[in-house]
Amino acid sequence: MSKTIRFNAFEMNCVGHQSPGLWRHPRDRSWEYKDLEYWTDLARLLETGFFESVFIADVIGYYDVYKGNLDNALRQGVQIPVNDPLQLANPIALATKHLGIGITASTSFEHPYTFARRLSTADHHTKGRIGWNIVTSYLESGAKNISQGGLRSHDNRYDVATEYVEVLYKLFEGSWEEGAVLRDKERGVFADPAKIHEIGHKGKYFDVPGYHLSEPSPQRTPVLFQAGASGAGKQFAAGHAECVFISTPLKDATRAYVAEIRKRAAEQGRDPKKVLIYAMATIIVDDTDEKAQAKYRDYANHASYDGALVLMSGWTGIDFGHYKPTDTVKKVKTNAIISAVEHLAEGDKVWSIEELAKWGGIGGLGPLFVGSPSTIADLLQEWVEETDIDGFNLAYALAHDTFADVIGYVVPELQKRGVYATQYREGTLREKLFGEGPYLPTNHPAHRFRDIERVKRDEAAAQSALSEGRAGAARQSEPA
């Protein structure tokens, strides 16, 4: 196999992340999430294992679908309390030299103008190691708490996201030209006003007429991550994402998803092999298969049945508290993560509620690999070969033991097989990932916004033609 296997660490600024209940384990550190040392220790560890990035998930809202209230989420510490992810970028960057920092932020809950400045600032401070995980959100509780009343429909959230990223592209790519910042001390000119432009955006959801507040950061647009797996999500990912994440326990579903994303990306004029696709997984490894299985049983004894169903209910929008443990999962229409429902209802596997809770109790919806270093390496290579993924977004069972075990056992085995990195590339996160320049490539839809004045002329002409067409239609409809 020639493809190099890539690892990201899947984290969240909360207790336990995707393994509810395991915070009780005597070796788990996830309850320390509120301390900077937790994050700097993790970052340094990941860099010793040549992880590409730490990918930090986030939610605005809380998991109150299960049994119709928040009690079990609070009792089990299921992604509440949860702190802001973007504030972790600076300490992680100071503790490391190469590790990428993927930050999750929603297009549903923050205005693009202010968010653009926060992202540019983070990209400056990390010297170009920031990625943005674009999400549209799925928790009704989040929308209700910022005066939205409730979530928009699933596909409409992607309509908003499409315009949201267009605003950001205009700010990042077009507002400040190359060479706009002069820093000419002799002439006393910091920046050339002729090379700094208002973006003039007036859309259906956002009105942003002015200038980007930040000068161009090392990557301009941070590396774009995305995890949508519904029909609308896949179309968005194929058009915009440079790195795509998928969460499904089934190899067949993963293979079909990867093929569809690459096909859609090619149809939109992008290089399908330059879209990196990562499957979520959790690894429990030890010297031998027997020791790894014993470690798994120890972890499983600390997992929370109710905590797992809190997550599953929130992700799918289905209250699994209404069902008996022996009931089976059925596909229903929801306004949450459509793909989570689809993945659980497809194929030959029929999930009981109890099986779902056991599966989701350690690592969430992705596959759980348990075994010796050679067993794990075989499984990882098998998944890459059979599904065409590029790597894995690794969740943890115990913080930071899971990642330490992967680095101590699995990474050397993969390196011995010649399928894992032994050093980092220099440069920004985008340069490390793709081996090319720091900016988005010319075949990415953001590139056209580099000439913002031409874009504004084209948009004005299109709006004028639309208005003329409407006026003509109105005249024709008038009675003679």
Side-chain angles (χ1 to χ4, degrees):
M1 189 184 78
S2 60
K3 183 182 280 191
T4 298
I5 294 176
R6 301 160 175 263
F7 285 162
N8 295 305
F10 194 28
E11 257 283 9
M12 191 168 175
N13 200 355
C14 67
V15 179
H17 192 197
Q18 305 238 4
S19 296
L22 271 82
W23 60 270
R24 299 179 299 128
H25 195 284
R27 291 200 311 278
D28 184 74
R29 290 186 59 186
S30 67
W31 60 272
E32 299 176 37
Y33 74 96
K34 62 194 183 305
D35 301 327
L36 287 182
E37 293 80 6
Y38 172 92
W39 295 99
T40 54
D41 288 351
L42 173 62
R44 292 187 190 100
L45 172 66
L46 296 175
E47 200 158 83
T48 67
F50 301 103
F51 274 56
E52 290 182 335
S53 72
V54 54
F55 171 73
I56 306 173
D58 191 38
V59 291
I60 299 294
Y62 34 79
Y63 290 80
D64 58 356
V65 176
Y66 184 61
K67 296 187 178 180
N69 59 58
L70 190 60
D71 290 356
N72 279 283
L74 289 169
R75 217 174 267 124
Q76 304 296 330
V78 182
Q79 296 189 13
I80 186 169
V82 56
N83 286 347
D84 181 65
L86 189 54
Q87 294 185 51
L88 298 174
N90 284 0
I92 290 173
L94 284 171
T96 57
K97 181 181 178 184
H98 297 285
L99 187 70
I101 306 155
I103 301 297
T104 299
S106 176
T107 58
S108 296
F109 297 147
E110 184 165 2
H111 195 280
Y113 187 68
T114 53
F115 181 60
R117 182 173 70 163
R118 298 207 305 137
L119 267 188
S120 290
T121 301
D123 202 48
H124 279 299
H125 286 173
T126 62
K127 293 182 169 57
R129 287 195 273 149
I130 285 290
W132 171 34
N133 176 38
I134 308 166
V135 297
T136 64
S137 295
Y138 54 89
L139 294 176
E140 289 284 348
S141 58
K144 290 176 180 176
N145 278 294
I146 60 166
S147 305
Q148 289 186 1
L151 281 177
R152 297 175 183 269
S153 70
H154 178 274
D155 287 2
N156 182 242
R157 296 200 297 272
Y158 277 102
D159 292 338
V160 174
T162 298
E163 185 179 335
Y164 194 107
V165 297
E166 180 178 315
V167 173
L168 290 187
Y169 294 157
K170 289 176 177 179
L171 292 167
F172 292 146
E173 302 291 332
S175 186
W176 292 63
E177 293 181 28
E178 289 293 301
V181 178
L182 301 175
R183 301 188 189 95
D184 187 333
K185 293 184 178 181
E186 290 187 6
R187 292 192 297 145
V189 178
F190 186 86
D192 181 355
K195 292 186 176 183
I196 304 168
H197 309 272
E198 293 179 303
I199 67 168
H201 181 87
K202 190 171 184 62
K204 182 176 181 180
Y205 303 105
F206 303 107
D207 187 355
V208 185
Y211 305 92
H212 187 28
L213 292 170
S214 301
E215 64 179 270
S217 69
Q219 299 182 112
R220 284 190 175 262
T221 299
V223 172
L224 300 172
F225 296 75
Q226 214 262 331
S230 64
K234 284 183 279 194
Q235 188 65 17
F236 185 90
H240 298 278
E242 298 172 89
C243 301
V244 178
F245 299 129
I246 181 171
S247 303
T248 171
L250 305 174
K251 207 183 296 179
D252 288 345
T254 300
R255 183 188 305 111
Y257 175 88
V258 173
E260 185 176 358
I261 285 290
R262 298 206 194 282
K263 178 176 179 290
R264 290 191 187 210
E267 289 170 351
Q268 297 190 49
R270 301 180 65 199
D271 182 348
K273 291 300 181 182
K274 293 293 177 67
V275 178
L276 300 178
I277 302 177
Y278 302 80
M280 191 176 80
T282 307
I283 293 172
I284 298 176
V285 63
D286 211 317
D287 289 316
T288 65
D289 289 339
E290 292 74 21
K291 285 185 177 180
Q293 290 293 339
K295 187 179 287 186
Y296 165 72
R297 289 191 294 272
D298 174 40
Y299 293 172
N301 286 335
H302 291 82
S304 167
Y305 177 92
D306 284 320
L309 291 183
V310 166
L311 286 176
M312 294 292 179
S313 296
W315 291 335
T316 63
I318 301 167
D319 183 357
F320 290 114
H322 286 318
Y323 302 96
K324 295 180 293 187
T326 54
D327 287 343
T328 57
V329 176
K330 296 178 175 61
K331 184 175 179 178
V332 298
K333 184 175 178 59
T334 80
N335 197 27
I337 304 178
I338 302 296
S339 58
V341 182
E342 292 173 344
H343 290 329
L344 291 171
E346 68 188 351
D348 298 328
K349 172 67 178 173
V350 177
W351 295 84
S352 71
I353 303 302
E354 185 174 27
E355 287 176 319
L356 189 64
K358 287 181 178 178
W359 184 274
I362 299 177
L365 285 174
L368 176 64
F369 301 135
V370 182
S372 66
S374 60
T375 296
I376 298 298
D378 287 345
L379 288 168
L380 297 177
Q381 288 189 274
E382 180 183 294
W383 268 70
V384 170
E385 289 170 354
E386 295 184 16
T387 67
D388 193 32
I389 58 173
D390 297 285
F392 296 89
N393 205 30
L394 296 180
Y396 67 83
L398 292 190
H400 300 312
D401 277 19
T402 298
F403 295 127
D405 284 347
V406 168
I407 291 165
Y409 289 112
V410 180
V411 166
E413 179 67 24
L414 294 175
Q415 289 173 329
K416 185 173 70 176
R417 299 182 185 199
V419 295
Y420 192 85
T422 57
Q423 62 182 11
Y424 284 105
R425 289 191 181 111
E426 294 299 321
T428 65
L429 177 57
R430 184 171 285 115
E431 289 169 294
K432 294 178 192 299
L433 292 175
F434 300 103
E436 297 175 357
Y439 298 158
L440 283 164
T442 57
N443 62 359
H444 191 278
H447 183 75
R448 75 181 186 92
F449 297 108
R450 294 297 291 275
D451 187 349
I452 195 67
E453 293 302 327
R454 180 185 57 78
V455 170
K456 287 192 288 187
R457 289 193 299 271
D458 290 348
E459 289 179 347
Q463 184 60 44
S464 178
L466 181 62
S467 298
E468 284 286 328
R470 287 173 177 167
R475 286 192 295 271
Q476 289 178 4
S477 65
E478 291 176 357

